[in-house]
Amino acid sequence: MHPVHFFMGAMTPDMGIDLGTVNTLIYVPGRGIVLFEPSVVAVRPGTNEVLLDGKAVGNIAKAMLGKAPSTICVTQPLKDGVIADFDLTEVMLRYFIRKVNKRKWGIRPRVLVAVPGGITAVEKRAVVSSLERCGAREVFLIGEPKAAAIGCGLPISEPTAQMVVDIGGGTTEMAVISLGDVFTQTSLRVAGDKMDEAIMKHMRAHFNLEIGHRTAEGVKIGIGSAFPINGEITAEVRGRDAIAGLPRSVTVSSEQIREALSGPLEQITDAVKTTLEQTSPELASDLLEHGMVLAGGGALLRGIDKLLQEETGIPVRITDDPLTAVARGTGVLLENLNLYKDVLRDEDTEE
Ligand code: ADP
Ligand code: MG
């Protein structure tokens, strides 16, 4: 083998990107997940100038969330499942791609990006041109539910219905897939962030305690649940007294937090039921047998599988490592790009 060929092959710079509302992940074939950072950027207010010499992106920027003085603007450019700020999304992607693709001899990567199912055709085109400006040679888009289904190991090309529910930060994306195509899909703007907000509201209403987003997320991860758990637990929550204005802490139970989460959880459950109602009888019968798979960070909420199973009557399974399912799905696609190229091109031009 010619040494140059061997070298180029080993350095194949293709990458799969899970552009999530809360986390961005990058998968490089042969290397696996090489980047997993929060989708956050910190800039000087009114500019796209990234702080700390361009390094205040991802983990570094997330640490500043909710703690920044007015001279610093910490932004989540994909808030609520839509691309709220195109320019900052591009700034963030450029930083992440550079971080992963440090090679200087100019091999431009082919990039496969999984985008939230709810984004519009205009937003899709904007993502493609952003990535091209970031140096991508070719850009393919794939809907998040399909990438999630592949990452969960579902045999999506078979004539058997598969259902995936990806509960992220900004959106819950769900789809019924059969023969490689999406039969029906829903993108609901209720997911992890809305759960955090529900906890904030609950703490204020029931304990007169004001807490920040990150504290609320910590409570959710620490003691949150969707279904009664064996041996309910408690947590100490610190915030600011809504009346006196001074720092104060209270002890809350997992039952109380479950109560707080009931609103968003009901919305997610209703959307899953509606999606199921839209499937044909044949597909419904497949789903009754094979059930649905949960992915995304929200799949880690205690008892969410039990809740959905009880509400829908079909078996529910949580995929291994739900936070990385979409990125791993893009990896499987990239590693088999010849098989999937046409499918990806269709998605790319889809309106
Ligand atoms: P996105 O695809 O929108 O970027 P992710 O799939 O990365 O979202 O999931 C992020 C969401 O998952 C956040 O709202 C986070 O709070 C939530 N999350 C992460 N771990 C847990 C956990 N153990 N329990 C409940 N929610 C979790
Ligand atoms: Mg996601």
Side-chain angles (χ1 to χ4, degrees):
M1 188 197 294
H2 192 281
V4 171
H5 279 141
F6 173 71
F7 185 63
M8 303 270 286
M11 301 304 278
T12 174
D14 294 341
M15 55 178 78
I17 303 181
D18 169 11
L19 182 57
T21 60
V22 170
N23 295 305
T24 298
L25 286 78
I26 300 186
Y27 184 105
V28 173
R31 286 169 67 197
I33 289 165
V34 294
L35 182 130
F36 184 164
E37 296 210 33
S39 306
V40 188
V41 193
V43 292
R44 210 167 297 291
T47 73
N48 289 332
E49 197 189 318
V50 178
L51 296 167
L52 305 176
D53 293 332
K55 294 199 185 72
V57 183
N59 289 320
I60 297 172
K62 181 164 186 189
M64 300 174 169
L65 261 186
K67 296 186 179 174
S70 59
T71 49
I72 294 178
C73 174
V74 188
T75 310
Q76 291 180 286
L78 288 99
K79 195 93 186 110
D80 294 329
V82 290
I83 301 184
D85 190 322
F86 286 107
D87 292 339
L88 286 183
T89 300
E90 185 172 327
V91 165
M92 181 179 83
L93 280 171
R94 173 168 292 127
Y95 176 85
F96 287 151
I97 290 173
R98 283 225 180 111
K99 198 165 174 182
V100 166
N101 197 29
K102 291 199 185 90
R103 282 169 292 279
K104 304 225 164 55
W105 45 88
I107 308 169
R108 300 173 67 198
R110 284 184 303 189
V111 177
L112 168 60
V113 55
V115 290
I119 76 168
T120 63
V122 175
E123 290 178 312
K124 282 183 187 174
R125 275 194 287 276
V127 170
V128 172
S129 37
S130 276
L131 285 162
E132 284 167 353
R133 279 194 296 274
C134 292
R137 165 163 50 107
E138 223 177 340
V139 181
F140 303 97
L141 297 182
I142 183 158
E144 197 181 300
K146 220 190 223 180
I150 295 168
C152 293
L154 297 181
I156 63 157
S157 306
E158 282 171 23
T160 309
Q162 310 286 340
M163 181 169 187
V164 63
V165 179
D166 176 350
I167 309 170
T171 56
T172 297
E173 316 261 341
M174 54 200 86
V176 176
I177 303 173
S178 174
L179 286 167
D181 238 323
V182 170
F183 192 84
T184 164
Q185 70 175 321
T186 310
S187 177
L188 176 75
R189 285 186 188 165
V190 176
D193 291 341
K194 286 278 160 39
M195 296 183 201
D196 302 344
E197 281 161 29
I199 291 174
M200 292 167 77
K201 276 204 196 109
H202 187 92
M203 294 307 295
R204 204 197 147 102
H206 296 265
F207 298 93
N208 270 320
L209 191 74
E210 290 175 339
I211 62 170
H213 275 274
R214 295 203 63 187
T215 302
E217 185 185 29
V219 172
K220 173 184 71 180
I221 293 174
I223 64 166
S225 61
F227 205 78
I229 43 183
N230 250 341
E232 299 284 347
I233 40 186
T234 61
E236 189 185 297
V237 182
R238 286 189 288 246
R240 185 176 68 174
D241 188 281
I243 298 154
L246 293 173
R248 180 162 71 87
S249 79
V250 299
T251 301
V252 289
S253 69
S254 44
E255 285 107 323
Q256 287 164 322
I257 297 304
R258 192 158 58 244
E259 166 70 30
L261 294 174
S262 61
L265 286 173
E266 192 178 318
Q267 287 175 287
I268 293 172
T269 310
D270 285 348
V272 171
K273 286 187 192 164
T274 307
T275 305
L276 281 168
E277 283 160 16
Q278 288 164 0
T279 58
S280 70
E282 283 301 325
L283 296 183
S285 126
D286 285 349
L287 294 176
L288 196 56
E289 189 183 340
H290 302 293
M292 72 179 95
V293 179
L294 307 184
L300 292 167
L301 184 71
R302 291 174 190 78
I304 187 121
D305 50 342
K306 293 206 188 85
L307 175 72
L308 287 170
Q309 187 152 325
E310 185 171 275
E311 290 287 327
T312 62
I314 72 170
V316 179
R317 165 172 84 83
I318 300 167
T319 193
D320 291 339
D321 202 3
L323 281 161
T324 62
V326 170
R328 285 183 289 107
T330 65
V332 172
L333 284 159
L334 281 172
E335 282 158 2
N336 302 281
L337 203 53
N338 296 338
L339 291 178
Y340 289 110
K341 215 162 178 171
D342 288 338
V343 178
L344 292 173
R345 266 193 222 294
D346 287 352
E347 295 244 358
D348 194 347
T349 51
E350 210 173 68
E351 285 302 290

